[in-house]
Amino acid sequence: MITDPFDPGPTGRFRTLCRRYPDDTVFRGADGFRSLWGPVFYRGRANGTARLLVVGQDPAQTEAFTRRILSGQAGRRVQGFVEKLGFTSSYLMVNAFLYGIYNQKMALPHLNDPEVVAYRHRWFAAALAPGRIEAVVTFGTPAFEAWRTFVTSPEGADVSVFHQRALHPTADKPGGPISRRDLLDNWNVALGRLHARVQQPDEARPLVPYGADFTPAELPAIPSRDLPAGLPGWMRDTDFWATLGDPPGTERANISVEVPPA
Ligand code: URA
C-alpha cells in the first residue's frame, strides 16, 4: 500500500490564481512559448504557510508532465539547495514565466509584458501576504529581473524581505562559460548569505557547502508532498525520463517519456 503524502492543491488567493490565468494570447507560441503544455503554476506550499520564496525561470518537459515547477534536473538541484538551508517543506516555488519556453531569444523579451508582469505580481503578492516569507531566492537572470521589477513597482513598494540572487541551476551548460565549479561557488556564497538571515527553517542545520560537484545527497528526490496525488516514485527520484520529442511538433512541444529501469 502506498501512503505517500501529496499536494492537496492551492488554497485561497493561490487557488484563485490557478482558476484564472493568462492564455496563449499572452504567452504566444509565435513568441517562443510552449503554450500547448498549459501553465505550470508552482511547487511547494501554495497555502500561505511558506517561509522561503524561490523564483525560477520557466517549466521544462518534466514539469509539463508532473504539473509542478522545478521537478526535473534543475528542480532536484534546487531541492538540495533549499534543504541545505533546512527548508524541507515550508517553501513556495514559482517561475518568472507561467508557460515553458522553446526559444529563449524570442520569449525572454516578453518578461515584462504588462499582462505577464501583472499576473506574476499577483503570485508574489499572494506569497508575501501572510507576512511569513523570510527570504526570497531567485535562480537566474530572468527570475532576478522579475523580482526587481516587482520590488520597484507600486505593488512591491513596501516589500523589504531579504532577497538573494543565484545562478540558474542548469547554468553550467556543457561547453558554456559557466562551469559546475562556478555554479557551486556561486551557490555557496548565496547559501552563506541566506543561512545567516533565515530564522525559522523547518530544521535548524549547520550549513554544509558544496564541494567540487553535487553529491548524490545534494540531489534529493522531489518530496511526494509537492506533487499531485499518485505520481510514481521514479518521476521524483530520477532525471531525464522526459525528453523533447522527435519529431519536435508544433512549438517543439512533443515530449517523449521513457520509464527508467527499476
Ligand atoms: N524548471 C522550472 O520549472 N524552472 C526552471 O527555472 C528550470 C526548470
Side-chain angles (χ1 to χ4, degrees):
M1 193 70 85
I2 292 176
T3 58
D4 294 341
F6 60 88
D7 177 15
T11 62
R13 288 170 75 160
F14 303 99
R15 192 177 170 85
T16 306
L17 283 163
C18 298
R19 278 252 170 86
R20 195 177 152 76
Y21 54 86
D23 62 12
D24 60 0
T25 60
V26 175
F27 291 93
R28 291 168 8 110
D31 290 335
F33 292 103
R34 287 190 166 100
S35 46
L36 289 168
W37 286 350
V40 190
F41 296 104
Y42 72 95
R43 174 158 78 83
R45 311 285 78 72
N47 62 4
T49 63
R51 293 193 299 277
L52 179 71
L53 177 63
V54 173
V55 187
Q57 183 177 310
D58 71 287
Q61 65 275 11
T62 307
E63 288 83 10
F65 232 86
T66 62
R67 309 314 299 173
R68 293 295 181 274
I69 74 157
L70 286 166
S71 55
Q73 185 203 34
R76 291 182 62 205
R77 291 179 175 188
V78 167
Q79 189 64 29
F81 183 104
V82 302
E83 291 187 12
K84 275 185 185 286
L85 293 171
F87 284 97
T88 52
S89 73
S90 301
Y91 47 75
L92 173 65
M93 304 183 186
V94 295
N95 276 328
F97 292 103
L98 181 60
Y99 291 81
I101 288 174
Y102 71 89
N103 183 318
Q104 300 225 15
K105 222 172 154 181
M106 280 158 59
L108 293 184
H110 296 279
L111 180 70
N112 283 338
D113 283 3
E115 286 165 287
V116 173
V117 170
Y119 182 74
R120 189 171 61 224
H121 284 191
R122 278 182 222 129
W123 272 92
F124 288 159
L128 295 168
R132 293 196 184 158
I133 297 288
E134 291 187 40
V136 179
V137 52
T138 55
F139 287 103
T141 304
F144 169 72
E145 295 292 347
W147 185 253
R148 200 169 58 171
T149 299
F150 178 62
V151 294
T152 54
S153 73
E155 299 107 294
D158 295 335
V159 174
S160 58
V161 63
F162 178 73
H163 163 241
Q164 177 62 46
R165 70 184 296 186
L167 284 174
H168 189 269
T170 55
D172 58 334
K173 298 268 185 292
I178 297 170
S179 66
R180 176 74 45 87
R181 191 71 222 220
D182 295 334
L183 172 65
L184 296 178
D185 284 349
N186 173 278
W187 277 21
N188 279 338
V189 172
L191 278 172
R193 293 188 185 140
L194 284 158
H195 196 265
R197 286 296 185 121
V198 160
Q199 303 281 324
Q200 267 193 289
D202 298 306
E203 286 172 28
R205 292 180 177 173
L207 181 57
V208 180
Y210 291 99
D213 200 351
F214 292 103
T215 64
E218 288 167 343
L219 298 170
I222 304 300
S224 68
R225 74 167 73 84
D226 287 5
L227 295 168
L231 250 71
W234 58 263
M235 287 193 178
R236 302 191 284 108
D237 65 9
T238 48
D239 291 336
F240 306 119
W241 47 265
T243 51
L244 294 177
D246 181 16
T250 308
E251 298 172 9
R252 294 179 48 210
N254 287 353
I255 301 172
S256 167
V257 171
E258 194 172 324
V259 179

